[in-house]
Amino acid sequence: MTTSTATELTGTVTLTRLVLRRDRVRILVWIVALPLLLVLTAASVKGLYSTQADLDEAAASSADNAGAIAFNGPVQALDTIGGQVAFQTGSIGLVLVALMSMFMMGRQTRGEEEAGRTELIRAMAVGRHAPAVSALLVVAAMNAVVGTLVTLGLIALDLPVVGSVVFGLSFCTLGIVFAVITTVVAQITENTRVVHGATGAVLGLAFVLRAVGDIGDGTLSWLSPIGWAQKTRPFADERWWPLLVVVAITIGLVALAEALADRRDIGAGLVAPRPGPRTAAPGLGRPLGLALRLQRGSLIGWSAGVFLTGVAYGWVADDVEDLVGDNDAVRDVIAQYGGVSLTDSYLARSILTLALIGTGYAIQSVLRLRGEETALRAEPVLATPVPRHRWVASHLAVALGGSVIVLAAGGLGTGLTYGIVGHDLGQVPRLLGAALVYVPALWLLVGFATALFGLVPRGVAAAWAALAFCLVIGVLGEVLDVPAQVGDLSPFQHTPLLPADDLAIAPPVVLSAIAAALIVVGLLGFRRRDLGGATTT
């Protein structure tokens, strides 16, 4: 190591400890929740195929199903339990790990610079690259822990050791790749939201390239980081050499990030922000207009993501009978959602999943209030004649209205593809309505997050824990045999499972009333406390 390199990394160890100390709760949630979700899903997949005949039938039905391949990944050893686990959990797991790396690196790099904390740290005896390297070390360690826990979990399920190791390594390496991609993007722009948006776009492109490539001859999949991970073929004559491609690309991206960082100033990006108009739009002079402007990118991104997920679900729906075949275990799992046909039960499950995904937008949107407060951007707004309740209400309006848009996007995507494949566009309004029935459940979690913001602002992360609970109950509740008293704590369990069930008016009305009460509690709590988290007496 040269003297200049050593100087540039001065303070890396101290900053690494600082990141671990400051974000210990967030880190713990990620590294526990992701492996737990993946291993529980793998256990449920294993429970669906009790005989080799079931596996053979599932393999035959999925081999030529373009929708299943596009959503899940390449067809590899689907006549084995390991192959089915990799097929049904690998793609979504890789996306979640990539998102973990993206959010953590964006927060630790561009987020810290945007808040002005990096400049304060650099005023001490800290090297130029130390903050980014410390963040990268932490996120790489998080990915290593996730990969290790997934590996150990699959081995505990009696899956082959080598396949489990390769499967865990695929998560670890992909997460590190997207951590470095986020670092590169953070050198280009000076806005955290743009970093997340641009990296998210790369992830979306990677998914599309992988999907198109897997439907074809597989060549195009080599242009996708997700494709590199799946080319390791876990549980299907494993191949280690694609990991060398990942390592080489990662080293190249690290060198690129270092070169870009050397060519910019602290707090700035290589691409200067576009100058705004001479005068602000009239709407920006009002809290609602400002809130909508701040959150429009997030709303567009979430809506597009949920719409595309709905497209994938609708694409598969017409073939669900063939995919399930005579597998009674799979049929029973899907049939638990009610309905006179297996297709309606599958659509009900799909719409529920879309609603749970869309809840992520709703919680992120309302917690923007806490982000504005901790970044000290709320004070200048509240120093004007804008009252507190009006400022909070502006962001709540975006969260409540945006959740309707996100759900509608999911229902629209599902209905369009299912209607086109089945030559019945009358499915569009049917499935659009089925998605919008979940609006009160989403609003209840918005109300819960608002109450946390108003009463215990430092505990707003509990809103994400509530979503994780609802996700486990909604997707794995029956498989895990969760007691009814526990499952009933999820508002989604009280929402009619359309189109499989009949519409009942009372549950959505009750959920809406509870949501309104929680929002009022949050507003009153915020009026009583000081900015920053303290509550006045």
Side-chain angles (χ1 to χ4, degrees), residues 429-443:
R430 178 172 177 250
L431 295 179
L432 182 61
L436 292 177
V437 167
Y438 285 97
V439 165
L442 265 72
W443 284 358

Side-chain angles (χ1 to χ4, degrees), residues 184-207:
V184 171
V185 176
Q187 314 309 314
I188 299 173
T189 177
E190 60 183 51
N191 186 283
T192 306
R193 294 190 300 275
V194 176
V195 170
H196 290 161
T199 308
V202 173
L203 177 59
L205 178 61
F207 191 91

Side-chain angles (χ1 to χ4, degrees), residues 60-234:
S61 61
S62 299
D64 297 322
N65 190 292
I69 294 172
F71 192 73
N72 294 327
V75 176
Q76 298 172 163
L78 296 187
D79 57 348
T80 66
I81 292 294
Q84 285 291 341
V85 167
F87 185 68
Q88 299 190 36
T89 66
S91 182
I92 185 63
L94 290 169
V95 170
L96 290 175
V97 170
L99 290 174
M100 175 190 76
S101 296
M102 179 187 78
F103 287 128
M104 286 298 299
M105 282 304 299
R107 168 183 169 82
Q108 298 298 337
T109 53
R110 179 51 60 184
E112 291 296 292
E113 288 193 44
E114 195 173 5
R117 288 187 287 269
T118 300
E119 187 172 2
L120 294 176
I121 290 174
R122 285 290 311 281
M124 299 182 288
V126 173
R128 180 178 183 84
H129 299 306
V133 172
S134 63
L136 192 57
L137 288 174
V138 170
V139 177
M142 290 174 63
N143 281 283
V145 172
V146 168
T148 300
L149 292 178
V150 169
T151 298
L152 295 176
L154 296 184
I155 293 175
L157 293 174
D158 293 328
L159 293 180
V161 174
V162 175
S164 299
V165 171
V166 171
F167 196 56
L169 278 174
S170 68
F171 288 115
C172 177
T173 53
L174 181 81
I176 293 174
V177 166
F178 271 92
V180 181
I181 290 175
T182 306
T183 307
V184 171
V185 176
Q187 314 309 314
I188 299 173
T189 177
E190 60 183 51
N191 186 283
T192 306
R193 294 190 300 275
V194 176
V195 170
H196 290 161
T199 308
V202 173
L203 177 59
L205 178 61
F207 191 91
V208 171
L209 288 173
R210 194 277 310 156
V212 174
D214 289 343
I215 293 173
D217 61 3
T219 302
L220 199 59
S221 300
W222 283 106
L223 300 179
S224 165
I226 299 177
W228 304 337
Q230 293 183 331
K231 292 293 185 181
T232 57
R233 297 178 60 87

Side-chain angles (χ1 to χ4, degrees), residues 317-359:
D318 198 50
D319 296 326
V320 68
E321 289 280 358
D322 295 332
L323 289 171
V324 173
D326 296 327
N327 190 320
D328 293 333
V330 178
R331 188 176 293 272
D332 290 343
V333 169
I334 297 178
Q336 70 180 329
Y337 295 91
V340 297
S341 71
L342 195 65
T343 300
D344 279 352
S345 299
Y346 167 80
L347 288 170
R349 185 184 189 279
S350 300
I351 295 295
L352 170 60
T353 304
L354 291 173
L356 289 166
I357 295 173
T359 307

Side-chain angles (χ1 to χ4, degrees), residues 184 335 379 407 422:
V184 171
E379 290 187 11
L407 280 179

